[in-house]
Amino acid sequence: MAFSVVKGAGYVLVHTPDMIIHNGTTQTSERIVNPESEYLKKLPEHLRSFEEVVSYPPNQTYIGNITPGDLSEYKMPWYDKKIDDAGRFGKFGEIMPQDEFIGLLKIVDVFDLVKLNNEITKVAKEKLENHPLITDEMVAKLKEGDEMEDINKAINELHAEPIYNNNKIVGCVKRAHEIDINLNAHTIFENLVVKASGVLAMLNLINKNDINPEDIGYVIECSEEACGDMNQRGGGNFAKSIAEVAGCVNATGSDTRGFCAAPTHALIEASALVQAGVYENVVIVAGGATAKLGMNGKDHVKKEMPVLEDVLGGFAVLVSKNDGVNPVLRTDLVGRHTVGTGSSPQAVITALITAPLDKGDLKITDIDKYSVEMQNPDITKPAGAGDVPTSNYKMIAALGVKRKELDRKELPNFVKEHGMPGWAPTQGHIPSGIPYAGFAREAMAKGEISRAMIVGKGSLFLGRMTNLFDGVSIVLEKNSGKVDEGKGVSEAEVKGLVAEAMKEFASHLLGN
Amino acid sequence: MDLENQQRVKDLTEKHGAENIVVLLGAAEGEAAGLAAETVTAGDPTFAGPLAGVQLGLRVFHVVEPEFKDEVDAEVYDEQIGMMEMVLDVDEIIEEMTDIRDEFCKFND
């Protein structure tokens, strides 16, 4: 069967400064434990403007306006650097401001749970009417605004979650049930945010890659939220709800969960479904998490820097049947951390990196770029969590040294040549492997690289069901142009078979 | 150090006595190792967890320090930690850990 290909990718960020303060768990926890804290008082002074967020080099990388290579030319820290004439729209997607996103929250809400006042409704309507991807039909769903009196009543008496813009209440998300915590206003807020940002990523994928949404047969959503009610907490299905808004009338779908590893799990699942011929076009999609906004805010404020976790992330990737052009997903070179793998970093890197390479008789240097946890080090370093991608590259290189594929003194060079700086926001699943899919597709089209490995890792122990860690990986390879690739017997296999037959023949001759 | 681990260290110390406890760390950075070491000796520096203001003064080592490395089977060590030892800034971690122990550890052995 022919390998499937990565046919397109869309990436979006949403600037949500008020949601940092009111919905990020670092801040909501602080408000419960220490409501008078200095941190909460200082936080508003450390928020960035939309223009600052747009011109921030890692964000411009995320939406594809500059490459990871370009980003590495900027000396860290990056928060005091900016890209001149940076735009909110990019080659892969866009950066959306909060007011438009609040409008989008209402547009994707089909149960009349979002109430917005007249003022924000007017602003969102005007801006979204001019948005290239938001249709008139979608804008019409904003209807007329609600009265503040009703919104305040819902918040004060009916446990609705307020929606803030510029530090003012402009609306609310109502609870969807009186006693069910799975449908309370907090949960519905988070779920609508992940749905709306997932929709935005899907719309960008479709638009930037000239895809007909009606051609999409299946959608796999792979964020870290759960929707359902008290009888089925994680029943789903974000995937289908996103497909519905994006006009994928011929699609169904399902949600795949696996903490930060889920996008790579989803990518492998999608590639298998397409390769097996079940569906021709499968989209993997995920929106962002309000809970993680400002996660490391305390450290950022302490270090007198802006709170950099001020955006929600989203992405969507289309996996299609082999077109002879786009990079193929090598389902025969998949790595996985199994139950029996063990938890030492060495065991993990072996399972995820070298085990799949061994299957293809490849060395670690045969992969041009490794896409690991591409977390932006500008965010993590000041918080004491180090430079995550670089640590991963060092571990891969160190394993190469142990396998004698690399000399120890080549280690720093390996990190530079086969690695990349992290550019994705620390939204769990968002930085995990997947941010490079779009760039890999471009770099392979230009002939700059031949192979990349997408690696996803997840901390399952956070769910308290197992102490195990998890991860999967898959190799992405430049398309050879032969559409029947992988079908039947490959050239290498034929050569191998011929060689074996010759050897056997020779041994007969010698024996005689 | 996360709040749950602080509670575990506290409970185990109460049960077995501080003199019978050794804390082993695997943090990837000197600073993070130092913070965890400080938590189990001088108390939680962030004043957020169960060890806030609790000075346990426990023996604490990072797994790349010779005090630990020399005690275990070299083959197992190489298999489990050898790769990370190559990656981590071992000197920085040892320096940070030694400073914390010198200042806060109650056991001078």
Side-chain angles (χ1 to χ4, degrees):
Chain A
M1 279 177 281
F3 290 125
S4 57
V5 297
V6 170
K7 204 166 183 180
Y11 295 95
V12 299
L13 297 172
V14 184
H15 179 228
T16 47
D18 287 274
M19 292 182 194
I20 305 174
I21 300 173
H22 300 285
N23 308 92
T25 52
T26 298
Q27 293 64 248
T28 52
S29 304
E30 184 78 353
R31 209 165 293 120
I32 295 168
V33 179
N34 195 1
E36 296 301 316
S37 87
E38 277 303 302
Y39 168 60
L40 289 175
K41 282 180 201 150
K42 280 188 178 167
L43 175 63
E45 297 161 26
H46 292 258
L47 300 180
R48 293 189 291 187
S49 67
F50 181 62
E51 289 67 31
E52 287 170 314
V53 166
V54 167
S55 62
Y56 182 52
N59 290 350
Q60 284 293 310
T61 314
Y62 192 79
I63 61 166
N65 283 344
I66 64 168
T67 66
D70 297 334
L71 178 64
S72 62
E73 304 287 317
Y74 286 83
K75 201 171 170 284
M76 289 192 68
W78 292 322
Y79 62 81
D80 58 5
K81 314 283 185 299
K82 63 180 223 175
I83 299 221
D84 294 326
D85 54 9
R88 67 169 275 200
F89 293 101
K91 204 191 291 178
F92 296 154
E94 67 174 287
I95 305 172
M96 184 175 256
Q98 185 173 262
D99 47 11
E100 289 179 26
F101 186 69
I102 291 172
L104 191 59
L105 278 182
K106 179 156 176 97
I107 290 171
V108 305
D109 162 35
V110 291
F111 276 83
D112 204 16
L113 297 169
V114 177
K115 279 179 173 289
L116 301 181
N117 71 11
N118 292 314
E119 192 190 338
I120 191 81
T121 304
K122 192 163 165 271
V123 172
K125 216 181 245 180
E126 273 172 21
K127 292 182 79 173
L128 290 174
E129 271 168 2
N130 293 315
H131 190 288
L133 309 184
I134 307 294
T135 61
D136 292 347
E137 197 187 345
M138 290 170 87
V139 175
K141 293 192 170 146
L142 284 169
K143 297 177 208 150
E144 295 306 310
D146 286 284
E147 294 305 321
M148 269 320 287
E149 198 184 326
D150 296 336
I151 291 167
N152 284 331
K153 190 177 171 200
I155 295 168
N156 297 329
E157 296 171 26
L158 302 166
H159 304 281
E161 188 92 358
I163 299 174
Y164 290 85
N165 191 45
N166 297 330
N167 223 12
K168 270 183 8 206
I169 294 179
V170 295
C172 68
V173 175
K174 295 189 292 180
R175 64 183 175 189
H177 192 279
E178 280 183 23
I179 52 167
D180 184 349
I181 52 166
N182 305 288
L183 294 173
N184 69 16
H186 169 84
T187 308
I188 295 289
F189 191 113
E190 278 189 354
N191 286 351
L192 283 173
V193 164
V194 79
K195 179 183 174 185
S197 45
V199 163
L200 190 63
M202 181 83 120
L203 294 176
N204 273 278
L205 165 77
I206 289 169
N207 177 268
K208 307 271 173 189
N209 298 283
D210 290 326
I211 296 163
N212 179 357
E214 295 178 10
D215 290 341
I216 296 166
Y218 201 76
V219 177
I220 304 174
E221 200 269 1
C222 51
S223 72
E224 298 183 287
E225 311 298 355
C227 60
D229 68 10
M230 61 174 129
N231 296 314
Q232 50 272 311
R233 190 190 309 272
N237 174 325
F238 285 113
K240 197 161 188 174
S241 76
I242 291 170
E244 179 189 18
V245 184
C248 309
V249 287
N250 295 313
T252 179
S254 60
D255 301 343
T256 281
R257 292 292 174 267
F259 280 97
C260 313
T264 312
H265 277 290
L267 186 64
I268 294 169
E269 288 162 13
S271 61
L273 284 169
V274 173
Q275 192 177 336
V278 180
Y279 308 112
E280 274 190 25
N281 298 294
V282 178
V283 170
I284 66 167
V285 60
T290 48
K292 292 195 178 82
L293 292 167
M295 205 162 42
N296 293 292
K298 285 184 183 174
D299 290 298
H300 294 164
V301 167
K302 205 191 295 167
K303 302 222 157 112
E304 293 295 331
M305 50 186 279
V307 170
L308 298 173
E309 289 157 311
D310 52 5
V311 289
L312 302 164
F315 67 83
V317 175
L318 173 65
V319 176
S320 299
K321 67 174 187 179
N322 199 340
D323 55 3
V325 179
N326 284 294
V328 295
L329 285 149
R330 292 284 303 262
T331 43
D332 56 337
L333 304 180
V334 165
R336 67 208 160 112
H337 181 277
T338 65
V339 170
T341 297
S343 61
S344 75
Q346 210 154 319
V348 171
I349 300 289
T350 302
L352 295 181
I353 310 290
T354 56
L357 294 184
D358 288 345
K359 284 188 230 168
D361 225 2
L362 298 169
K363 295 203 294 282
I364 62 156
T365 46
D366 289 332
I367 298 291
D368 300 304
K369 290 287 176 195
Y370 289 89
S371 182
V372 290
E373 296 153 293
M374 303 313 297
Q375 290 172 344
N376 173 0
D378 221 20
I379 296 173
T380 56
K381 270 180 140 176
D387 179 334
V388 180
T390 303
S391 308
N392 273 280
Y393 296 132
K394 281 186 188 164
M395 285 192 272
I396 296 170
L399 192 60
V401 174
K402 284 189 86 69
R403 282 162 58 98
K404 307 206 175 5
E405 292 173 12
L406 204 68
D407 193 76
R408 191 164 177 170
K409 60 177 188 298
E410 291 169 48
L411 204 143
N413 224 12
F414 176 91
V415 173
K416 214 172 145 198
E417 280 175 15
H418 297 265
M420 294 173 280
W423 64 88
T426 49
Q427 289 247 302
H429 57 294
I430 297 295
S432 190
I434 215 74
Y436 187 58
F439 288 116
R441 186 172 161 259
E442 285 212 322
M444 286 182 200
K446 288 185 194 156
E448 292 167 358
I449 63 166
S450 306
R451 285 190 204 97
M453 189 187 270
I454 306 285
V455 187
K457 297 189 202 165
S459 305
L460 307 190
F461 44 86
L462 295 170
R464 305 296 194 272
M465 288 296 117
T466 170
N467 251 318
L468 291 175
F469 170 86
D470 187 46
V472 281
S473 64
I474 185 164
V475 172
L476 207 58
E477 195 174 71
K478 189 175 181 323
N479 202 314
S480 67
K482 291 182 205 152
V483 178
D484 63 344
E485 186 184 351
K487 244 183 205 168
V489 196
S490 75
E491 201 178 326
E493 276 171 308
V494 170
K495 276 185 186 160
L497 288 170
V498 172
E500 209 167 295
M502 297 285 276
K503 226 189 272 171
E504 208 182 313
F505 181 61
S507 71
H508 279 300
L509 288 178
L510 286 172
N512 291 336
Chain B
M1 185 181 274
D2 72 37
L3 310 187
E4 208 162 311
N5 276 336
Q6 289 192 33
Q7 190 63 48
R8 281 164 80 183
V9 171
K10 193 171 177 233
D11 292 346
L12 285 167
T13 308
E14 277 164 11
K15 190 170 170 195
H16 300 286
E19 69 283 10
N20 296 316
I21 298 279
V22 177
V23 181
L24 293 176
L25 305 177
E29 299 258 321
E31 193 185 338
L35 278 174
E38 190 179 341
T39 307
V40 299
T41 51
D44 180 3
T46 66
F47 287 93
L51 291 179
V54 183
Q55 296 178 357
L56 296 178
L58 300 176
R59 292 181 183 92
V60 56
F61 301 95
H62 193 284
V63 292
V64 296
E65 289 191 277
E67 287 89 340
F68 172 76
K69 188 180 173 181
D70 297 345
E71 291 297 317
V72 297
D73 185 316
E75 220 166 279
V76 175
Y77 188 88
D78 187 53
E79 195 187 303
Q80 297 284 327
I81 300 169
M83 187 191 86
M84 284 312 286
E85 199 185 17
M86 221 184 289
V87 172
L88 301 182
D89 188 340
V90 174
D91 293 339
E92 185 199 70
I93 291 173
I94 293 179
E95 194 188 323
E96 189 79 32
M97 293 296 293
T98 311
D99 285 353
I100 298 284
R101 274 196 303 270
D102 287 349
E103 197 175 346
F104 302 117
C105 182
K106 283 182 187 161
F107 307 95
N108 297 313
D109 44 19

